[in-house]
Amino acid sequence: MTGFCGRARLPVAGFDSAEASEEYDHHQEIARSRYADMLYDHDRNDKYYRGIRAAVARVRARGEKVIVLDIGAGTGLLSMMAVTAGADFCYAVEVFQPTAAAARCIVEKNGFADKIKIINKHSTEVTVGPGEDMETKANVLVTELFDTELIGEGALPSYEHAHRCLVREGCAAVPHRATVYAQLAESELLGSWARLRPIEVEGSRVLPPPAVADCSGVHSVCDIQLSQVSPRSFTALGPVLAMFTVDFSQPVSSAPRSYSSQFVARTGGRAQVVLSWWDLDMDPAGGIVCSVAPSWTYPRPETAPWRDHWMQSVYFLPVEREVAEGENLTLAVRHDDYSLWYGLGSRGRDAILSRPSCTCHAHLAWTRARFGELNDKVRTERYVSALRGVVKEDSVCVGVSDGSLLPVFAHLLGAKKVLSLDSLSMSKRAMEELLEANSLGGRVALPDIRPEQLTCQDLGGEQISLLIGEPYFCTSLLPWHSLYFWYCRSALADLLRPDAVIFPRSAALHVVVVEFRDLWRIRAPCVTCEGFDVTPMDEMIQKSMDLRESHEAEPHPLWEYPCRALSPSAAVVTFDFTRRVPRRPVVSRGSLALVRSGRCHGVAAWLEYRLSPDVTVSEGLIRPVDERGRCEWSRHRKQGVYFFPSAFESAGDGGDAAVFYEIKFEPASGDITMDFNIESG
């Protein structure tokens, strides 16, 4: 990319720069595994311990020797609970080698090596018999194989095999059963994540193509912290329904199966989404319940346990439709061995339960947050108002973003010639369908070329007078990956008129020191848990962080994770898109004063784009921080989070306490690295 203006291939948005060693990959997985979150989930741990004690007691009361099989053993915590509860022996099965190695250390360190055997295999590969992995079948089955969707980690096939090959008939199971709940709802917010809505611009109506409007979408679950979706953001059209129950103490089938529940609509509205969660009965009597229900279902929401390893689910109905108050409805769910999907029926008609499958390409190319971004009327108006000031009758406009409507807006505002460059073929195909549906196919060109391949011939012998971008790229993870737009601008430098307008003009990296209400748990040290020493796992998590995150941030949608600002937000680096990408690194140093008391967990970072002298768009904070430090974050993009190696207290008393930073942008790779140091007066 010498000079950033030649025809050399540009880096992809996302900037691949990770180490490729096997050790790095293993520790990368550990860092992302949320073991710290699970070990800090005291509600989960307490319910499991109580359930295990009860199961061991039931088997002991039958006069049997207690042999436990722990599938998905992780750190070995549940196995140690079982032995502490009186089990004679425990087989702990963990397929992931680094975690199995840590579990061996933890079990040995806690004095359980003679009663717990770590088996580093998938449970379906475990053998039983003299000299085999297990000497005998187990009569207590303990598992933690669940994800947000309950069955998404392969729980059903694992249970099916375990009952057939690894446990005795009539075994005690912890958990004993699981129940999946669902509620039909109307929600403009959640519904905007699944379908493109009509958009009004300059008196014209941009319609979604039929292929997108009628598409059932993808079947993958939308897992979110549903507790952060206010009940004011949706209307419940029916009661919470118990859709189906799985009894883990009996043989389990992984074969596809359907369930349905009938109810009467409590109010009229548009059926758009199904909100779903589950709970676990740890004992047969149902007296020990571990629930994943959102906080607003609790009489006292503040008492709801927080978790990130288990969240809640939103499912989008294949077809939205109006329902009337008092209407008899049937909500149906179907599952295969790994996923669920829902359908709605009424008046004796069965719900359609064919697996959702995207046929329009848009749902495969764009994230659900991207659909929400395209449907955001306020955001659209900000872009259109800024474009009005730069689009002229003789404008030769080139758009560089994925799945962007800005080139369409530029045409509607009167640009003479408009080209749109999409980096992803599926996204480009979806945009072609949108242009065709709005009779714009010959007015906005979508050449199948990369920015550095564009020539004067593609522009009809003219030069670019207006280069536009949101910027958005499908492969971006961190906020600054969208700086790919800057590289594209540099590659197109020779095709720009001397007076060409670059839109946006610049981007600024903003940072703020924050105290998280809950997110800190995913990176917290976990030296002990429920009386068991898990230091080896803590050391592995820390090593993972040292390898992957010592100078890097990680992406999180902070609207799902409440936090308080302990410092003012500050723009620490500005990227001037009117100039080419510099050859040398850009380094920014400074400090963030700690003006509020609280526990400093890390730094949040995001980009704000200046579209015009008067219009900016933030991908982070969308309103100024209030007096108490509360933050309101954009729902459309993920922000970057840099976690401090250890949290520290801020007095916020106006003293000299501050966080000093060094931010470095490397033009050769597009990476941004961050170093923070804390000094207290």
Side-chain angles (χ1 to χ4, degrees), residues 585-616:
V586 177
V587 180
S588 174
R589 299 181 180 89
S591 63
L592 302 166
L594 298 174
V595 297
R596 295 183 185 88
S597 61
R599 192 155 183 78
C600 302
H601 292 120
V603 173
W606 67 97
L607 289 182
E608 291 190 7
Y609 293 99
R610 182 160 296 281
L611 307 182
S612 70
D614 303 321
V615 181
T616 59

Side-chain angles (χ1 to χ4, degrees), residues 22 76 140 170 184 192 194 215 264 267 279 292 338 363 389 454 481 525-526 542-543 548 552 581 597 604 615 657 679:
E22 182 177 357
V140 175
L184 183 68
S192 72
C215 183
V264 176
T267 186
D279 63 28
V292 188
Y338 283 94
H363 296 92
L454 192 70
H481 290 166
C526 46
Q542 187 59 53
K543 186 174 182 181
R548 185 172 73 91
E552 298 175 7
V581 177
S597 61
V615 181
E679 292 192 13

Side-chain angles (χ1 to χ4, degrees), residues 272-303:
Q272 296 176 300
V273 297
V274 175
L275 314 180
S276 184
W277 56 89
W278 47 262
D279 63 28
L280 301 173
D281 286 321
M282 294 298 183
D283 66 326
I288 308 170
V289 180
C290 184
S291 177
V292 188
S295 62
W296 36 258
T297 65
Y298 284 68
R300 295 173 55 205
E302 68 276 9
T303 64

Side-chain angles (χ1 to χ4, degrees), residues 173-186:
V174 182
H176 181 77
R177 62 178 159 257
T179 302
V180 173
Y181 298 91
Q183 186 170 41
L184 183 68
E186 173 184 37

Side-chain angles (χ1 to χ4, degrees), residues 189-208:
L189 169 65
L190 301 179
S192 72
W193 296 351
R195 289 176 173 83
L196 195 61
R197 309 296 190 194
I199 300 171
E200 301 282 347
V201 177
E202 297 297 294
S204 298
R205 189 174 172 85
V206 180
L207 299 173

